[in-house]
Amino acid sequence: MQTAPPPAVVATAPAVLVVTASHDNWRYTLGERASFTVRVTRDGRDIPGVPVIVTSGPERLTPTRVDTIVSAAGGTRVDAGSLARPGFLRLTAVANVDGGRLNEMVTVGYDVDRIDASVALPADFLPFWRNAVAVARRTPLAPQLTLRDDLSTPAVNVYHVSFQNHREGSRIYGMLSVPKAPGKYPAMLVVPGAGVRPYFPDTRTAARGVVHLTIGIHGIPVDRDSLLYNELRATALSGYWAFGIEDRDKYYYKRVIVGAVRAGDFLMSLPQVDSARYVVRGGSQGGMLAMATAVLDPRVKAVAVAHPAMGDHFGYRQGRAGGWPHIFSDTARMQAKTEISATLPYYDTDNFARLLTVPGFYTWGYNDITVPPTTSYAVYNLITAPKELFIAKETGHTVNAEQNTKAMTFLLQHLGVR
């Protein structure tokens, strides 16, 4: 007796939620209504009859509209309204299909080149920071370098390094990659985004003829097991971005910003470094640090910045999104915090942007929910130095391959590296 073969299993493609703005570039003028088409598809074919919850309003603020629509052949049109002043309007769509939850987002900009800063420049901003750097430099670097043979390559030596920062015993740690061949090389500093984690060397960039340094900010080694950083993130360093925020001299980021400048001191102390060719790169928290370093260290020749955090803190007080870490997002609770209001202008990326003089490459996406594009434009619009902007509008708080390639190309060109 012959057994019949089992029935063939037909693979089913997953359902997809698609939101399309009426303008391909996601840009609108004030007062113009933004419309979107919402579709649920499988294999490119519409799935009609699926309920979709649609929410719209200014980014990161209370939604102005919440609706439930039903998907239809050809898509369902949604009118999300408009904005009366420069900024961003965000539409999110959520649907449950095949037991799974689908999410999609589109964020459109209104007269984004006219987004103004929400913070003023303190009269003593530069004296405050120049004094902080001068005081820190009274402490010797006392550098320590440990060769990591396991991370080195035939062309590049890798070191776990540290150097003193703003006082005796306070150290900055990082991963240093140095070409092995004798000679003088340009230098690149990478300052980190927010978080507590290990860091890794960039031997590929070093192999092209660049001394490359990536630093952490927390005064702890950066080459340990991830378990250590997970524990610190959940305990001693939880919420570090608010430590000491009531006093501009005790705020956590004072030693961090000064430490980024001293990272340049450390690099310039290396015999392999050509001090005339030095650039800095960073994203998010690192975007602020890169811009601050370029303002406070005249040796920096160019910067590359992605979605700069810590900018336009006071946007929430003006009824729009403010920058990470969203100190004033709860305006009712924070309005009375006069000490915080006095501290933050000295740490707002807006004010470093005003004082930049070196060329810069800037990039971000419109769907960023961590660093709102409203705040990135508030920062960017203040810059009078030569600047290039590349928008990858669909991206969130990430950097895609094209953004990364363009940033590195920009920096390497300014270093004279091919």
Side-chain angles (χ1 to χ4, degrees), residues 119-126 345-346 348 350-352 354-355:
V119 63
L121 180 71
D124 63 342
F125 182 87
L126 265 182
Y346 293 89
D348 198 302
D350 287 3
N351 287 331
F352 290 110
R354 286 181 163 106
L355 301 174

Side-chain angles (χ1 to χ4, degrees), residues 348-412:
D348 198 302
T349 313
D350 287 3
N351 287 331
F352 290 110
R354 286 181 163 106
L355 301 174
L356 271 174
T357 59
V358 300
F361 174 85
Y362 303 87
T363 187
W364 56 81
Y366 286 178
N367 281 337
D368 194 332
I369 62 175
T370 302
V371 176
T374 295
T375 67
S376 291
Y377 271 104
V379 169
Y380 182 79
N381 291 343
L382 289 166
I383 298 170
T384 58
K387 57 185 180 180
E388 299 179 21
L389 176 61
F390 176 71
I391 295 297
K393 63 182 189 296
E394 295 89 354
T395 61
H397 200 59
T398 59
V399 175
N400 64 29
E402 186 176 13
Q403 290 172 285
N404 182 64
T405 297
K406 287 180 177 293
M408 284 299 293
T409 299
F410 174 86
L411 292 176
L412 292 174

Side-chain angles (χ1 to χ4, degrees), residues 50 197 208 281 348 354:
V50 178
R197 56 185 172 273
R208 298 184 68 175
R281 181 181 185 184
D348 198 302
R354 286 181 163 106

Side-chain angles (χ1 to χ4, degrees), residues 40-110:
V40 181
T41 69
R42 180 181 284 115
D43 281 331
R45 299 178 180 177
D46 287 304
I47 307 175
V50 178
V52 182
I53 299 174
V54 177
T55 304
S56 60
E59 58 171 343
R60 290 198 63 92
L61 302 184
T62 302
T64 56
R65 185 172 180 177
V66 180
D67 294 304
T68 298
I69 63 172
V70 178
S71 65
T76 304
R77 183 178 178 276
V78 177
D79 183 344
S82 183
L83 292 183
R85 62 177 181 174
F88 280 83
L89 184 151
R90 177 165 289 155
L91 182 137
T92 60
V94 179
N96 293 304
V97 185
D98 300 334
R101 186 179 178 88
L102 304 177
N103 297 272
E104 189 61 27
M105 173 191 301
V106 172
T107 310
V108 299
Y110 280 80

Side-chain angles (χ1 to χ4, degrees), residues 231-277:
E231 292 174 343
L232 288 171
R233 188 184 310 117
T235 56
L237 291 173
S238 177
Y240 69 85
W241 47 82
F243 293 175
I245 197 171
E246 294 84 4
D247 187 326
R248 69 174 187 175
D249 287 306
K250 296 180 181 178
Y251 190 26
Y252 193 82
Y253 282 102
K254 185 176 183 183
R255 66 169 295 279
V256 173
I257 291 172
V258 169
V261 176
R262 300 226 70 194
D265 295 346
F266 167 72
L267 283 167
M268 299 309 149
S269 74
L270 300 175
Q272 300 94 333
V273 168
D274 174 2
S275 61
R277 295 184 291 164

